[in-house]
Amino acid sequence: MGEHDDEELKLAFRMSLQPAPDAKRSKPRDVAGSNESPEAMDRRLQRELRAAAAEQRRVSALGALDASSSVSIDSSVGVSLTKLRTPTKLTDRSEGLAPLRDAAEKTNRGKRRVEDERQQLLLRVAEQLYMLVFGTKVSKDVLCQWCHQGFRFSPDPETSLGLVQREGGPCGVLAPIQALVLKYLLFSTEDEKDIGMINRPTLRSSPLKSLQTGNNDVADVKLIFSDIQRTRALVQGMGETLWRAGGKRKAVVAVLDIPDRHDDHGSNEQEQDEAIAKALEALNLDSGKELHRLIRVSTVTSISALHQQLHSSLSGFRSPWGALLLLFSLLLSRGLDLVHLDRDDPDQPLVTLPFGHASQEIVNLLLCGQAVPNVFDNNMDLGGVCMKGISTSVEVGFLTYFESLNLCHVGRNLKCPKWPIWVIGSDSHYSILFALDTSVQDETQIEDHESRIRQAFDAQDQSGGGGFISPEALQQILFDLKIDMPQDMLNNLCSSDIVIWNELWQALLQVDKTKGGLKDSAAVLGKRQFEVYHFNGIAKTVASSGDVTQQRPRLTKVRVSVPPKWTPDTALVEEYKAMRSDGTQGSAGSGALVPEPAQHAQLVDCIRTRWQRATCNWTGDAPSIV
């Protein structure tokens, strides 16, 4: 070894004895208790892993130098370089980052697994799917409506709980999902543990009674939720309807197969959304071949895997194709063959012409997991033709303005859901009605007795729904329900060959409730009063200032007063006349509480299909269901 080489080895040895400088690191964080988003956490883990990798390379370089210098350089030094291996401080630091490295690797493996499980949608299935949804005569305007509606929440605090609708048509998909989102925002549920998201805040285990202040303005109730809460509820809501459509055995998630135009670790949610929206601008959905080219699908067999799939695909569901992607996922989860069997007329497209509205079959598929076309309970046989209705109870319900016009009848399954949340249907739009207290659906003891009498009457009605029974059947009903009806009243009812429901009902109103009847001296004073909220997600103009026009959804609080079902109409008329004639009642010195004058809108007609003869009041503009 030459003299020059000896000098270089000595210099390297002296440098190795100097303490290693600490690597630059960001301020340590408590990962488990952080409030950062999943995306931010993933980016932070990647940065720290890159820093750890750099330190490891530095350690490797020192190790290589150590190996090349393991021989004794100068006998006067007396120290073997074989002892100067990897510095302890660097080793400990690398080991300290091991949990972070493992967590990031687990996240990356999950993402890669989700992406690897996605398969291209078969051409045959894509063409069937396109025909099922749009048919052959769909216009470009309708396609444009359905290709420009994603799942995005309102940026305004007062309506932060709601999804915003920009285009007409897809509200039949948005509204049921909105109803399920409210279920997860407002009420505790049994499957919240299945959601695969971090930083999950605690759900409320009871209705939000603490939010009610007793005032009339909707601003008094602060229904404001964080982005994490809303995102979690959206994933859970979409997951619930897909899982139900798949028979609670499987679900299919459809996603867009477009090139990524952003760095996963270097862009925020807004930049990702803008990149996807820009990529979609050049796409033209006009055939099943386009679906075959653009859509990839994955099938999952557990609710936790479904939540993971949906969470990893949120950017696609926020995109302009969001409503379409969920509809495709829903139909594929149910199975196209079963969807055809659910329908009464499978030759018609699910998106109705000419305006592109979502059919009742789409709404029912979202609510109950079957694409049946009717809203009554169970199936109805009409001379050999089976009309399919709602055969199971539902989590969130449905009311429609058409029932107030006697054009249809909504069954108890949809009118009385598990949670006090309803999709409201009109002739051109879907909106949401909800309450914060589940007691709005409770029936009083007399109301329950009324229902049992009606059910017993219907069981004896052999007229095919004509509303009358025989005198012998009446005797059996009175005996079974322990109703002690005066003999003269009974003789009067049985004086003819048939007993009509209305006549029986009027007679029972005269029989005291202690004898099994429905007469109650406090009936007029026994009104039920509660509050509900109406949310219309379509963005409408609410204010204009110069060239700036503000558009946002609307949330309206509605005060509802419901008289007992057994209250005679004549009593209600007399009460109304007294209220209008005596303007001093309800004043500060009178001590009497007089109801507010009733207000009317189409929403009130819908509410009355659920709570008969209800009167409603609100502050400000009337709630709109269109």
Side-chain angles (χ1 to χ4, degrees):
M1 182 178 295
E3 182 179 353
H4 180 70
D5 294 335
D6 290 342
E7 291 297 327
E8 287 187 351
L9 288 176
K10 291 179 181 179
L11 178 62
F13 172 72
R14 293 191 189 96
M15 292 178 63
S16 67
L17 296 179
Q18 299 296 322
D22 290 340
K24 294 182 179 180
R25 292 194 302 169
S26 59
K27 185 178 180 180
R29 300 181 183 180
D30 181 9
V31 176
S34 175
N35 291 325
E36 60 187 338
S37 66
E39 294 80 3
M41 178 182 179
D42 186 59
R43 291 195 297 269
R44 177 172 58 79
L45 291 177
Q46 294 296 328
R47 289 196 300 269
E48 293 179 344
L49 286 175
R50 287 195 292 269
E55 290 186 3
Q56 289 178 346
R57 288 194 297 270
R58 186 167 175 269
V59 169
S60 299
L62 288 175
L65 177 62
D66 185 15
S68 64
S69 307
S70 58
V71 295
S72 176
I73 300 175
D74 190 351
S75 58
S76 63
V77 175
V79 179
S80 175
L81 291 181
T82 56
K83 297 181 181 180
L84 300 177
R85 296 300 180 187
T86 304
T88 302
K89 182 179 295 186
L90 293 179
T91 303
D92 293 342
R93 184 176 303 157
S94 178
E95 292 177 352
L97 289 173
L100 298 177
R101 181 167 58 251
D102 293 341
E105 180 61 25
K106 183 177 180 181
T107 300
N108 291 334
R109 285 199 305 268
K111 289 184 177 180
R112 289 194 296 268
R113 183 174 63 253
V114 166
E115 294 174 356
D116 291 342
E117 291 173 352
R118 294 170 181 167
Q119 304 295 326
Q120 187 173 24
L121 186 63
L122 297 176
L123 178 59
R124 172 181 56 83
V125 177
E127 291 176 341
Q128 291 177 352
L129 186 61
Y130 184 89
M131 289 295 296
L132 175 62
V133 175
F134 295 115
T136 59
K137 300 180 180 179
V138 62
S139 66
K140 292 183 179 180
D141 290 340
V142 169
L143 288 174
C144 182
Q145 292 173 8
W146 282 86
C147 291
H148 288 82
Q149 183 59 66
F151 292 96
R152 291 184 172 275
F153 285 98
S154 171
D156 298 309
E158 290 184 0
T159 55
S160 64
L161 55 76
L163 297 168
V164 181
Q165 181 184 350
R166 300 295 181 184
E167 300 285 344
C171 57
V173 175
L174 261 66
I177 295 299
Q178 174 69 77
L180 291 172
V181 165
L182 287 172
K183 165 192 166 181
Y184 286 100
L185 286 177
L186 301 177
F187 303 102
S188 176
T189 58
E190 64 278 1
D191 58 347
E192 61 177 293
K193 62 180 180 298
D194 291 324
I195 185 70
M197 298 176 62
I198 64 172
N199 299 330
R200 181 173 66 252
T202 302
L203 280 174
R204 300 171 175 85
S205 59
S206 61
L208 308 181
K209 294 180 179 179
S210 61
L211 295 178
Q212 302 189 39
T213 61
N215 296 326
N216 293 331
D217 295 333
V218 68
D220 294 333
V221 179
K222 302 298 184 183
L223 296 174
I224 301 176
F225 301 92
S226 68
D227 289 340
I228 292 178
Q229 288 175 303
R230 297 187 303 179
T231 300
R232 184 198 66 251
L234 178 61
V235 169
Q236 288 179 301
M238 292 191 299
E240 177 179 326
T241 191
L242 293 178
W243 191 244
R244 186 189 301 113
K248 297 185 178 180
R249 297 185 302 272
K250 67 176 180 65
V252 178
V253 180
V255 298
L256 286 170
D257 184 20
I258 57 178
D260 291 335
R261 302 195 177 188
H262 57 273
D263 180 5
D264 288 339
H265 310 299
S267 61
N268 56 31
E269 178 180 301
Q270 182 178 357
E271 292 172 345
Q272 295 178 16
D273 293 344
E274 291 175 354
I276 294 178
K278 185 176 181 180
L280 290 174
E281 289 179 358
L283 301 180
N284 184 22
L285 179 61
D286 57 3
S287 67
K289 293 181 179 180
E290 287 298 301
L291 292 184
H292 167 67
R293 185 173 66 89
L294 299 172
I295 300 296
R296 296 181 70 86
V297 296
S298 57
T299 302
V300 296
T301 55
S302 71
I303 189 67
S304 58
L306 175 58
H307 287 155
Q308 184 181 13
Q309 288 276 358
L310 292 171
H311 186 228
S312 67
S313 307
L314 276 179
S315 57
F317 289 107
R318 289 193 302 261
S319 76
W321 276 37
L324 265 182
L325 289 175
L326 184 69
L327 179 57
F328 294 155
S329 302
L330 191 69
L331 294 171
L332 294 171
S333 296
R334 176 61 175 162
L336 302 188
D337 292 338
L338 286 179
V339 171
H340 282 293
L341 292 176
D342 290 339
R343 308 177 68 196
D344 285 344
D345 186 2
D347 293 332
Q348 297 297 320
L350 291 173
V351 173
T352 62
L353 302 177
F355 302 110
H357 298 148
S359 64
Q360 188 66 45
E361 294 151 312
I362 291 178
V363 176
N364 287 346
L365 182 57
L366 284 155
L367 294 178
C368 73
Q370 296 179 322
V372 294
N374 302 298
V375 292
F376 48 70
D377 288 344
N378 304 313
N379 298 337
M380 185 179 298
D381 188 357
L382 299 179
V385 178
C386 180
M387 306 291 289
K388 304 181 184 76
I390 308 298
S391 58
T392 61
S393 59
V394 295
E395 295 288 302
V396 295
F398 178 79
L399 303 174
T400 175
Y401 179 67
F402 289 131
E403 184 173 10
S404 68
L405 302 177
N406 294 321
L407 297 178
C408 68
H409 173 71
V410 179
R412 186 174 178 83
N413 285 333
L414 288 178
K415 279 186 180 176
C416 303
K418 180 178 179 180
W419 304 103
I421 308 169
W422 296 265
V423 174
I424 300 294
S426 69
D427 58 346
S428 61
H429 186 52
Y430 293 99
S431 54
I432 298 295
L433 184 75
F434 67 95
L436 304 182
D437 194 337
T438 57
S439 66
V440 301
Q441 298 209 89
D442 294 346
E443 289 189 347
T444 65
Q445 183 179 1
I446 295 295
E447 287 173 331
D448 181 64
H449 185 46
E450 170 199 4
S451 299
R452 287 188 286 111
I453 294 174
R454 180 69 202 203
Q455 290 173 2
F457 185 92
D458 291 341
Q460 296 288 344
D461 187 356
Q462 302 297 321
S463 64
F468 59 84
I469 60 176
S470 66
E472 293 77 15
L474 173 61
Q475 296 277 4
Q476 186 64 43
I477 291 174
L478 297 178
F479 176 79
D480 292 341
L481 297 179
K482 298 180 174 59
I483 299 175
D484 185 11
M485 180 176 289
Q487 190 62 44
D488 57 341
M489 187 180 298
L490 179 59
N491 293 337
N492 185 46
L493 286 174
C494 298
S495 59
S496 60
D497 294 335
I498 60 174
V499 177
I500 300 175
W501 166 254
N502 289 338
E503 294 179 356
L504 172 59
W505 188 246
Q506 292 297 327
L508 289 173
L509 289 174
Q510 308 304 317
V511 179
D512 193 85
K513 65 178 183 179
T514 60
K515 296 183 178 182
L518 299 172
K519 183 179 180 180
D520 187 358
S521 58
V524 175
L525 302 177
K527 285 187 174 183
R528 297 175 57 202
Q529 294 183 327
F530 52 86
E531 294 175 346
V532 294
Y533 295 83
H534 179 255
F535 176 77
N536 190 337
I538 196 165
K540 294 187 176 182
T541 301
V542 295
S544 297
S545 177
D547 296 334
V548 179
T549 300
Q550 297 182 9
Q551 290 186 321
R552 63 172 67 106
R554 283 195 58 195
L555 180 65
T556 306
K557 181 167 70 173
V558 180
R559 300 176 294 279
V560 182
S561 179
V562 184
K565 295 179 181 179
W566 61 92
T567 305
D569 291 337
T570 54
L572 295 177
V573 172
E574 292 301 323
E575 178 188 0
Y576 179 75
K577 289 181 179 179
M579 180 185 66
R580 294 296 296 259
S581 62
D582 190 353
T584 62
Q585 288 187 354
S587 60
S590 65
L593 180 61
V594 177
E596 300 175 82
Q599 296 170 280
H600 185 265
Q602 287 185 343
L603 177 63
V604 178
D605 295 327
C606 296
I607 290 175
R608 286 174 178 167
T609 65
R610 174 61 181 85
W611 295 280
Q612 296 178 14
R613 298 183 293 183
T615 57
C616 300
N617 303 91
W618 53 81
T619 301
D621 295 336
S624 173
I625 62 174
V626 296

